Amino acid sequence: MTADPAQKDLSKTAYDHLWMHFTRMSSYENSPVPTIVKGQGTYVWDDKGKKYLDGLAGLFVVQAGHGREELAEAAAKQAKELAFFPVWSYAHPKAIELAERLANYAPGDLNKVFFSTGGGEAVETAWKLAKQYFKLVGKPTKYKVISRAVAYHGTPQGALSITGLPGLKAPFEPLVPGTHKAPNTNIYRAPAFLERDGVIDPEAYGRWCADEIEQAILFEGADTVAAVFVEPVQNAGGCFPPPPGYFQRLREICDRHDVLLVSDEVICAFGRLGTMFGADKFGYQPDMITCAKGMTSGYSPIGATIISDRLAEPFYKGDNTFLHGYTFGGHPVSSAVALANLDIFEREGLNQHVLDNEANFLGTLDKLRDLPIVGDVRGNGFFYGIELVKDKVTKESFNDDEVERVLYGFLSKALFDNGLYCRADDRGDPVIQLAPPLISDQSTFDEIEQILRVSLTDAWAKI
């Protein structure tokens, strides 16, 4: 007999049965598991009734905010009408409508939409499609991928191979062969040899970063490289925006070597940067876009790979078939929720709201630069990273013991205890990441800054 959930110790049950993702489970052997039971607007509440500001939009997901009844109603309405049918050789109205809408939003000739259930699957789809595309057009040796150091692209075996975080990959090796890394765009950590009179020129730095990708292509042999995977603003490492001209030069490089440019927008799409797609924000044309998270504001899972007509063309001929798919890809309920969510975007002008307020958000976070632990504040739109350092002058970072003691042992818990849900991360250098719901305003920014100030001041005292 199953016990009444209201009478259960949820924390103990969670520890006994719920294997949480990316979680050091031993941490909760003798400590309560934080259990979130309610959300409204930019806030969530735990099972003890405590309120927290959601400074990460769940996981870069809840763009329209928590508690949107119309999204729940859209899901219920669709489930009553058609709860499930696959898009394996069949279609249903909501998937058709959503595919058309995404194609209309996407730049250039990105008109074909392949649905999945999340971002990692979308990345996996893009790599598999790139491999098969080149086989179909008579270039079967082109299968490799270039991505960037520290970048995170997902957990499926292919997406994990593209990921540039050795610590995440090591437990699962050997992975899919053919992935190679180039420098990312963290200008705060730019190589010293690029300095001129102690200053890094952003445009020159952008050219160098893009040219390093070209060098990786040439080193591997352009006839073996299928695609370059990059995020508009790189997430892992702490929100690296592109330097001026970076994507334009990268587009030229990809064209020169017949390499596909894949814009991984699992985080950056759907308003995170103030545009439907990050490629729009930075003015470049990808061959594919991978997206997920914000498409439904997290009210139902969905992902998509948006593909150019040029890449799709050989698959639309004769008996050629893309032998790939997911049971729940293009799910009717998720598609209906995505459409309702995009209606909110248009009706409430969420993208413009981000564009109107991004400078205020950055300016508020910049106030934290007076703290000795804050080395850099960077990002774009409603997507920022704060890099933590031990010495602001030399940019010296923390050693492994200090990261364990200060970042994980103190700061992560202190932020949450002080009422802010965000991410303290050491994938790369130690950072705090912030990506609140797109409905956030100056009061949200001020609250984030105040909690960070208290928590970071206390963390500095622990060093």
Side-chain angles (χ1 to χ4, degrees), residues 218-234:
L218 293 172
F219 182 82
E220 291 303 318
D223 59 344
T224 71
V225 178
V228 171
F229 279 69
V230 287
E231 297 167 277
V233 175
Q234 181 173 314

Side-chain angles (χ1 to χ4, degrees), residues 31 34 130 154-155 231 248 309 353 435 444 447:
S31 300
T155 55
E231 297 167 277
Q248 288 68 35
D309 289 332
H353 177 75
T444 313
E447 186 174 355

Side-chain angles (χ1 to χ4, degrees), residues 136-308:
L136 291 176
V137 297
K139 298 182 178 181
T141 62
K142 291 177 78 71
Y143 69 92
K144 297 176 184 176
V145 165
I146 309 296
S147 57
R148 300 185 295 196
V150 191
Y152 175 81
H153 292 284
T155 55
Q157 288 287 87
L160 185 59
S161 302
I162 296 171
T163 289
L165 293 159
L168 287 188
K169 299 159 70 166
F172 310 107
E173 292 176 332
L175 294 171
V176 181
T179 60
H180 305 275
K181 306 297 175 284
N184 57 48
T185 60
N186 183 4
I187 196 169
Y188 183 69
R189 297 289 180 184
F193 67 80
L194 293 174
E195 292 184 7
R196 297 292 180 270
D197 300 321
V199 176
I200 300 288
D201 175 61
E203 290 191 21
Y205 177 64
R207 286 195 299 274
W208 177 82
C209 290
D211 288 348
E212 287 296 295
I213 291 179
E214 182 170 37
Q215 289 304 308
I217 292 171
L218 293 172
F219 182 82
E220 291 303 318
D223 59 344
T224 71
V225 178
V228 171
F229 279 69
V230 287
E231 297 167 277
V233 175
Q234 181 173 314
N235 170 42
C239 304
F240 305 145
Y246 171 79
F247 275 113
Q248 288 68 35
R249 192 169 184 89
L250 188 54
R251 178 72 269 178
E252 293 171 2
I253 290 166
C254 289
D255 288 343
R256 183 156 56 243
H257 300 293
D258 193 19
V259 170
L260 306 181
L261 177 56
V262 182
S263 189
D264 183 357
E265 306 209 14
V266 171
I267 289 176
C268 291
F270 307 114
R272 184 50 53 193
L273 306 181
T275 49
M276 276 301 176
F277 296 105
D280 299 325
K281 186 73 174 280
F282 299 116
Y284 63 96
Q285 179 61 55
D287 297 296
M288 287 187 271
I289 289 176
T290 58
C291 56
K293 294 182 184 288
M295 194 191 310
T296 64
S297 285
Y299 284 69
S300 192
I302 198 168
T305 307
I306 311 175
I307 302 139
S308 74

